[in-house]
């Protein structure tokens, strides 16, 4: 046993430190990537290493492998690796080499998207801000200063990978690299210089001699030998720019990103599976989910502006690392079905024929090998089609996959996988936040000064754009001005402010007079704030703030922020106005508390003696807490707070903004998967805050003595926040008597020739759990969704007892969905089995 253990440890060590266990040669032809002389059908998924933690990576990658992935795709984020020119950071969540080696240890390949422009709803598109200040620079065009910096960083990353033998040409896991990113969407704005820039980028990349192919996504004129690839919700109609290049899909958007002030987007798995199957039906051989795990925009990394801290993306693995069912499971079945067709897919091009209006068959046949895909792209009508002498039922907007050109292994609209219903449970501990207003709660605080409080402030005439002033070293920039009011008495006026965004808080004589923010659709805003001026000297302090910098679009780097004016006092005596825009303003970059390092909680100036300052703007709060027991993922519910940033043990969990509420319009109780998907088609949470729960990675927590620090801009009540853990509450499945059998039974029933019917299967999410109860079971015509099933017009009276007997006490169970199992409660009617269970 000891010898076996030593061998296993040695194998693990070699897989981490000697990626030579991988291939040695990667090429491509018109059908596919060719790895060590063999064409491959590859399923890929995006996981961005800094949006999770190194402690999460092995589990995320293993779940990706278990879900049927062959490749992990990630961007490389320039601004976190080189925050100051020539000063590099590859520690912690930024340890790119460790991430790639962790993928290798799981036996998966890597697609390294160096960019170095990445978009990704990431701050400034991944570019470091210092790049903006290089004399004469123009981003993403034929500009020598930019090209020099882009080449230097790209070469730096390539050299790092080479030094660790991580390219496939060295025996490592990296089989692809990407240069640039979606430039074809905006290159017309750059004219001829954009065309020459792309040719330069291609030549520069290939000159780095990685020994693996390079790709450009959304770049129809990508020069040879660069492979141009597709991004989008659907890419079945995409064609590469050369008949020597394979059809590749680098971003299949598994959902969409969340913005502060927006409803929560989601993409039905039936539609996502349909898109995947259609791509392979029409000749694709490499497909990547963007995202497979979205993760979290920790710190100030979110872009946009107004991208939320959660980057869940409705991905198959959720923000917390829990598989999202049925999305993960149904896609796993799709991947298995496609891999059953791999021999035929790589052997030949498809023969595509029409079976009628909106009906299409694709056949891959060579010698004795044959696989087929039957598609119904109609958005409303189910149909029955004849194909090769057999009859097949095709639901609307679905694809049936026939690995042997005869038997259906899967239809994209029919889900065999179980669903899960999760919930957040409030946790408490002896160190948790209290509920009273006194310092005995354990909270202490420091008030951030209003206006100018730092020695590095400066004064200039006129209003300055914010990003050029702060270089994004902070979200915050103070604009301060003193004026004399000679009216002889206090008077009510209005302060008119025009801002490029993204938000501001206006203080008059040290008191908050009003606040305003833009939104994800329009960062700019104009606001008129009622103010009271006193006789004599008055101080106007405007705190302008950013919520992530622009990350997409032509010349996105030139998008400004801050108060550029005009700033006008209206409603003065006799209806006069006073334009303050060109007066001498004093500026302060950032907060005093930021300079003092209050986010670590270590400063000795915290106050816990005087009256607890609830609902007071510009306040730093600190408390200690014990980690919730168990291993379930942890979040903080920020209900009671308004807007700011939070740190746990000195690490930023991101911006919080639980008071930014989504519009009441645009959401439905259910979303019809049939028909083309768009980012606004399927949304939840209308009329509610966009995000109230904020992920705290378990690895950031100690059993006790954890420090939570908040900076609150507008004024909140930290005694209302709570710690919660995420658990799977119920497992559900709903399988009809017309579903294909489970994909994993394909070989057994096709080889034996015996009939196998549909099966409902349940499996507990944790290895140490068993099914403890059956909350609902109905065979007949059950209705509803997971957590809300109910009996239809007919139901077998034996269903509950049969399912209980098969499942309770087991970690998994399977029940045949047929009248042979349950009897026939309603003859001549299509029937199904719906079950809801709990695990403990």
């Amino acid at each position: 046993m000891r010898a076996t253990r030593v061998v296993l440890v040695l194998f693990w060590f070699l897989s981490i430190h000697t990626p030579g266990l991988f291939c040695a040669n990667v090429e491509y032809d018109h059908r596919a990537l060719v790895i060590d002389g063999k064409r491959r059908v590859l399923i890929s998924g995006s996981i961005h290493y800094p949006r999770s933690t190194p402690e999460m990576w092995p589990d995320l990658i293993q779940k990706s492998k278990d879900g049927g992935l062959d490749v992990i795709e990630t961007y490389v984020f320039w601004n976190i690796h080189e925050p100051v020119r020539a000063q590099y950071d590859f520690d912690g969540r930024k340890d790119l080499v460790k991430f790639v080696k962790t993928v290798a240890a799981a036996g998966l390949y890597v697609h390294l998207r160096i960019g170095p422009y990445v978009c990704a709803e990431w701050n400034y598109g991944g570019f470091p801000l210092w790049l903006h200040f290089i004399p004469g620079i123009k981003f993403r065009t034929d500009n020598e200063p930019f090209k020099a910096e882009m080449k230097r960083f790209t070469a730096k990353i390539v050299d790092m990978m080479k030094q660790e033998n991580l390219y496939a040409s060295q025996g490592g896991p990296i089989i692809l690299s990407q240069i640039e990113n979606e430039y074809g969407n905006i290159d017309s704005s750059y004219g001829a210089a954009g065309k020459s820039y792309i040719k330069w980028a291609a030549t520069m990349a290939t000159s780095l001699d990685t020994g693996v192919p390079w790709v450009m996504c959304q770049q129809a004129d990508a020069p040879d030998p660069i492979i141009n690839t597709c991004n989008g919700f659907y890419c079945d109609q995409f064609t590469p720019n050369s008949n020597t290049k394979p059809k590749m899909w680098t971003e299949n958007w598994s959902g969409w990103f969340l913005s502060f002030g927006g409803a929560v987007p989601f993409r039905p798995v039936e539609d996502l599976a349909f898109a995947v199957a259609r791509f392979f039906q029409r000749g694709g051989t490499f497909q990547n989910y963007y995202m497979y795990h979205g993760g979290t925009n920790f710190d100030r990394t979110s872009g946009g502006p107004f991208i939320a801290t959660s980057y869940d993306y409705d991905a198959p693995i959720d923000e917390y690392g829990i598989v999202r069912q049925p999305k993960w499971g149904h896609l796993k079945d799709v991947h298995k079905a496609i891999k059953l067709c791999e021999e035929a897919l790589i052997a030949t091009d498809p023969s595509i024929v029409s079976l009628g209006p909106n009906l299409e068959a694709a056949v891959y046949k060579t010698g004795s090998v044959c696989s087929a895909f039957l598609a119904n792209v109609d958005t409303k009508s189910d149909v029955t089609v004849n194909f090769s002498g057999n009859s097949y039922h095709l639901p609307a907007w679905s694809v049936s996959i026939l690995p042997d050109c005869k038997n259906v292994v899967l239809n994209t609209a029919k889900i065999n996988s179980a669903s899960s219903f999760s919930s957040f449970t409030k946790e408490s501990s002896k160190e948790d936040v209290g509920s009273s207003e006194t310092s005995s709660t354990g909270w202490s605080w420091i008030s951030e000064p209003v206006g100018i409080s730092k020695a590095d402030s400066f004064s200039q005439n006129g209003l300055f754009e914010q990003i050029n002033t702060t270089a994004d070293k902070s979200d915050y920039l103070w604009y301060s001005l003193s004026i004399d009011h000679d009216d002889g008495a206090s008077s009510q006026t209005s302060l008119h402010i025009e801002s490029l965004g993204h938000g501001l808080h206006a203080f008059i004589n040290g008191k908050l007079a009003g606040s305003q923010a833009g939104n994800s659709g329009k960062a700019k805003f104009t606001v008129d704030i009622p103010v009271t001026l006193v006789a004599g000297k008055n101080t106007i302090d405007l705190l302008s703030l950013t919520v992530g910098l622009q990350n997409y679009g032509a010349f996105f780097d030139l998008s400004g922020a801050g108060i550029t004016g005009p700033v006008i006092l209206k409603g003065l005596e006799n209806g006069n106005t006073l334009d303050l825009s060109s007066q001498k303003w004093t500026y302060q970059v950032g907060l005093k508390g930021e300079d003092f390092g209050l986010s670590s909680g270590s400063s000795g100036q915290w106050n816990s003696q005087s009256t607890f300052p609830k609902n007071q703007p510009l306040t730093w709060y600190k408390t200690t807490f014990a980690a919730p027991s168990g291993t379930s993922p942890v979040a903080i519910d920020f209900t009671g707070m308004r807007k700011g940033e939070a740190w746990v043990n000195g690490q930023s969990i991101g911006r919080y903004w639980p008071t930014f509420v989504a519009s009441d319009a645009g959401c439905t109780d259910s979303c019809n998967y049939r028909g083309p998907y768009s980012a606004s088609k399927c949304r939840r949470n209308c009329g509610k805050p966009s995000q109230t729960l904020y992920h705290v990675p378990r690895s950031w927590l100690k059993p006790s003595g954890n420090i939570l620090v908040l900076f609150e801009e507008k004024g909140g009540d930290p005694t209302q926040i709570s710690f919660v853990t995420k658990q799977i509450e119920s497992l559900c499945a709903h399988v009809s008597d017309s579903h294909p059998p489970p994909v994993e039974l394909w070989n057994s029933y096709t080889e034996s020739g015996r009939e196998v019917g549909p099966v409902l299967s349940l499996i507990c999410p944790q290895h140490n759990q068993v099914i403890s109860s059956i909350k609902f079971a109905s065979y007949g015509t059950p209705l509803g969704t997971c957590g809300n099933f109910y009996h239809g017009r007919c139901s077998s009276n034996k269903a509950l007892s049969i399912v209980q007997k098969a499942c309770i006490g087991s970690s998994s169970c399977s029940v045949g969905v047929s009248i042979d199992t349950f009897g026939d409660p309603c003859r001549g009617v299509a029937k199904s089995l719906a079950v809801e269970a709990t695990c403990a």
Side-chain angles (χ1 to χ4, degrees):
M1 183 68 182
R2 178 179 173 82
T4 302
R5 187 173 301 160
V6 169
V7 170
L8 288 174
V9 170
L10 178 61
F11 178 82
W12 174 84
F13 180 87
L14 289 172
S15 67
I16 286 283
H17 298 281
T18 316
L21 298 173
F22 281 87
C23 58
N25 188 46
V26 183
E27 300 172 314
Y28 64 84
D29 62 19
H30 82 287
R31 281 298 297 130
L33 290 180
V34 180
I35 299 177
D36 285 341
K38 183 180 179 180
R39 289 175 177 170
R40 293 291 306 274
V41 168
L42 296 170
I43 310 292
S44 175
S46 292
I47 299 175
H48 294 159
Y49 53 98
R51 282 175 160 147
S52 53
T53 65
E55 293 78 9
M56 294 173 68
W57 294 343
D59 183 61
L60 294 173
I61 292 163
Q62 186 59 49
K63 286 172 178 173
S64 302
K65 183 176 182 179
D66 294 344
L69 299 195
D70 307 294
V71 183
I72 299 297
E73 185 177 284
T74 186
Y75 282 125
V76 178
F77 298 87
W78 189 356
N79 53 10
I80 63 169
H81 292 308
E82 195 177 6
V84 177
R85 193 181 186 281
Q87 295 181 21
Y88 296 100
D89 186 354
F90 290 93
D91 294 331
R93 289 184 294 111
K94 294 163 275 192
D95 193 339
L96 175 60
V97 167
K98 182 175 183 177
F99 179 77
V100 172
K101 288 184 176 181
T102 306
V103 176
L108 299 182
Y109 297 122
V110 172
H111 178 194
L112 194 65
R113 307 176 77 189
I114 298 175
Y117 166 73
V118 299
C119 184
E121 292 73 58
W122 190 266
N123 193 53
Y124 213 48
F127 286 150
L129 247 295
W130 54 260
L131 201 65
H132 174 74
F133 296 101
I134 291 177
I137 199 164
K138 294 182 180 179
F139 287 9
R140 304 177 75 197
T141 189
D142 194 357
N143 171 266
E144 293 304 322
F146 177 76
K147 291 191 297 182
E149 294 299 323
M150 176 174 166
K151 180 177 181 178
R152 184 182 58 80
F153 180 76
T154 303
K156 166 78 175 178
I157 298 300
V158 169
D159 288 345
M160 283 182 64
M161 300 301 108
K162 284 183 176 181
Q163 288 170 17
E164 300 289 339
N165 295 319
L166 293 175
Y167 279 104
S169 55
Q170 303 170 294
I174 302 173
I175 59 170
L176 285 171
S177 286
Q178 179 178 303
I179 196 71
E180 251 297 336
N181 188 56
E182 294 185 332
Y183 191 70
N185 292 351
I186 49 93
D187 61 3
S188 62
S189 299
Y190 296 87
K195 298 294 184 184
S196 56
Y197 162 67
I198 280 298
K199 291 178 181 178
W200 169 85
T203 301
M204 181 271 290
T206 54
S207 73
L208 297 174
D209 193 25
T210 62
V212 303
W214 287 84
V215 306
M216 286 182 172
C217 62
Q218 296 296 91
Q219 195 66 47
D221 60 351
D224 294 343
I226 308 293
I227 305 169
N228 66 304
T229 67
C230 183
N231 292 355
F233 292 117
Y234 309 94
C235 281
D236 51 285
Q237 301 300 315
F238 169 75
T239 302
N241 65 11
S242 167
N243 58 13
T244 64
K245 298 176 184 179
K247 180 171 178 172
M248 299 175 63
W249 192 358
T250 35
E251 291 189 17
N252 178 1
W253 301 325
S254 58
W256 202 243
F257 56 83
L258 174 67
S259 296
F260 284 125
V264 179
F266 66 98
R267 186 178 184 186
V269 68
E270 298 95 330
D271 174 67
L272 183 55
F274 169 79
V276 173
R278 285 285 287 160
F279 179 71
F280 287 99
Q281 176 181 8
R282 296 189 63 88
T285 51
F286 180 101
Q287 188 266 166
N288 176 78
Y289 296 102
Y290 186 100
M291 301 293 296
Y292 199 75
H293 164 74
T296 306
N297 291 317
F298 298 114
D299 202 33
R300 299 169 52 244
T301 57
S302 63
F306 296 97
I307 299 298
T309 299
S310 171
Y311 200 67
D312 181 84
Y313 221 89
D314 197 41
I317 303 174
D318 75 9
E319 177 181 5
Y320 298 89
I322 298 174
V323 295
R324 172 173 277 114
Q325 296 285 34
K327 182 169 275 190
W328 182 88
H330 189 46
L331 293 176
K332 177 181 180 179
D333 288 344
V334 172
H335 305 155
K336 287 180 179 178
I338 289 166
K339 287 305 182 82
L340 287 169
C341 305
E342 182 170 14
E343 186 178 358
L345 289 172
I346 63 175
T348 186
D349 295 313
S351 174
I352 299 174
V353 296
S354 173
L355 301 177
N358 294 320
L359 300 169
E360 184 179 275
V363 179
Y364 293 84
K365 181 174 175 58
T366 178
S368 61
V369 177
C370 185
S371 294
F373 295 74
L374 309 181
N376 177 6
V377 298
D378 193 90
T379 61
K380 296 179 180 178
S381 301
D382 297 357
V383 295
T384 298
V385 301
N386 290 311
F387 172 72
S388 294
N390 294 305
S391 181
Y392 300 90
H393 178 74
L394 290 177
W397 206 251
S398 77
V399 177
S400 285
I401 301 175
L402 291 65
D404 60 359
C405 283
K406 181 179 179 182
N407 295 290
V408 174
V409 67
L410 178 139
N411 177 273
T412 57
K414 295 184 176 181
I415 300 173
N416 272 320
S417 176
S419 302
S420 60
F421 183 76
S422 61
S423 62
F424 286 89
T425 302
K426 185 175 180 179
E427 302 285 346
S428 62
S429 77
K430 61 184 179 181
E431 289 186 274
D432 205 345
V433 293
S435 58
S436 72
E437 297 182 5
T438 67
S439 58
S440 62
T441 62
W443 284 101
S444 54
W445 61 92
I446 295 176
S447 295
E448 176 70 25
V450 174
I452 306 304
S453 60
K454 294 165 55 180
D456 60 357
S457 63
F458 63 95
S459 298
Q460 292 285 344
N461 291 330
L463 295 165
F464 283 15
E465 189 277 329
Q466 181 165 346
I467 300 170
N468 281 300
T469 307
T470 65
D472 198 39
K473 289 180 170 59
S474 170
D475 279 357
Y476 304 105
L477 177 64
W478 280 107
Y479 297 68
S480 294
L481 179 70
S482 291
I483 61 170
D484 289 321
H485 180 54
D486 299 325
D487 197 20
S490 297
S491 62
Q492 296 287 329
T493 63
S494 175
L495 185 63
H496 174 88
I497 305 170
E498 296 186 20
S499 171
L500 297 178
H502 308 147
L504 71 80
H505 307 297
F507 296 81
I508 305 298
N509 298 321
K511 302 294 184 183
L512 181 63
S515 301
Q516 185 65 36
N519 56 57
S520 60
K522 186 180 179 182
K524 297 179 181 180
F525 60 86
T526 299
V527 63
D528 290 278
I529 298 174
V531 300
T532 300
L533 299 180
V534 298
K537 182 180 179 182
N538 290 265
T539 302
I540 299 173
D541 294 302
L542 306 178
L543 182 61
S544 179
L545 57 101
T546 53
V547 191
L549 302 190
Q550 188 77 26
N551 60 261
Y552 180 75
F555 310 106
F556 77 88
D557 52 300
L558 303 181
S559 298
I563 302 164
T564 52
V567 175
I568 302 171
L569 273 174
K570 295 182 175 180
L572 298 171
E573 186 179 14
N574 300 320
N576 292 330
T577 63
L578 177 61
D579 191 337
L580 307 173
S581 307
S582 59
Q583 294 203 22
K584 191 170 189 177
W585 292 81
T586 301
Y587 294 89
Q588 176 183 299
V589 175
L591 308 172
K592 190 172 185 178
E594 290 177 312
D595 283 5
F596 282 175
L598 296 186
S599 60
S600 69
S602 59
S603 168
Q605 302 175 11
W606 295 89
N607 181 4
S608 59
Q609 302 303 314
S610 56
T611 304
F612 180 70
K614 184 164 51 172
N615 297 319
Q616 177 176 300
L618 303 187
T619 304
W620 295 83
Y621 294 102
K622 181 178 79 167
T623 192
T624 59
F625 66 97
S629 60
T631 59
S632 298
V634 178
I636 299 178
D637 184 339
F638 274 89
T639 300
M641 303 303 287
R642 300 185 72 182
K643 184 184 181 302
E645 189 174 351
W647 296 262
V648 171
N649 295 328
Q651 302 208 62
S652 172
I653 65 172
R655 300 180 182 95
Y656 65 82
W657 201 346
T659 53
F660 207 156
V661 175
S663 166
D664 289 330
C667 292
T668 57
D669 292 336
S670 61
C671 184
N672 186 354
Y673 70 86
R674 300 169 183 86
Y677 180 79
S678 68
S680 59
K681 180 179 180 181
C682 304
R683 292 180 176 266
R684 301 186 180 101
N685 227 41
C686 286
K688 298 178 181 179
S690 301
Q691 185 178 356
T692 57
L693 299 169
Y694 295 78
H695 181 208
V696 181
R698 276 276 181 187
S699 60
W700 292 4
L701 299 177
K702 303 175 291 186
S704 62
N706 298 286
I707 298 174
L708 171 65
V709 173
L710 316 176
F711 174 66
E712 170 59 42
E713 296 173 14
K714 297 181 69 175
D717 181 2
T719 65
Q720 292 187 34
I721 72 170
S722 58
F723 291 86
V724 297
T725 56
K726 187 173 187 179
Q727 286 114 5
I728 303 298
E729 188 173 300
S730 296
L731 294 177
C732 303
H734 193 178
V735 176
S736 74
D737 54 13
S738 64
H739 271 55
V743 178
E744 55 266 21
L745 297 180
W746 168 262
N747 289 329
S748 63
Y749 72 79
T750 54
E751 292 172 3
S752 67
R754 62 185 177 86
E755 287 283 331
V756 177
V759 175
L760 182 146
S761 298
L762 299 172
I763 182 169
C764 290
Q766 303 295 330
H767 296 299
N768 60 347
Q769 292 180 317
V770 296
I771 297 169
S772 56
S773 68
I774 304 298
K775 298 170 71 173
F776 179 89
S778 177
Y779 177 73
T781 57
L783 301 168
T785 57
C786 186
N788 192 33
F789 284 134
Y790 57 97
H791 294 283
R793 288 191 173 184
C794 85
S795 181
S796 167
N797 56 16
K798 299 186 290 183
L800 181 60
S801 61
I802 289 172
V803 174
Q804 286 174 329
K805 183 177 180 181
C807 297
I808 289 181
S810 299
S811 60
S812 63
C813 63
S814 298
V815 181
V817 181
S818 72
I819 58 176
D820 295 336
T821 305
F822 297 100
D824 194 345
C826 39
R827 295 182 183 277
V829 175
K831 289 171 279 292
S832 63
L833 172 63
V835 176
E836 180 178 355
T838 57
C839 292

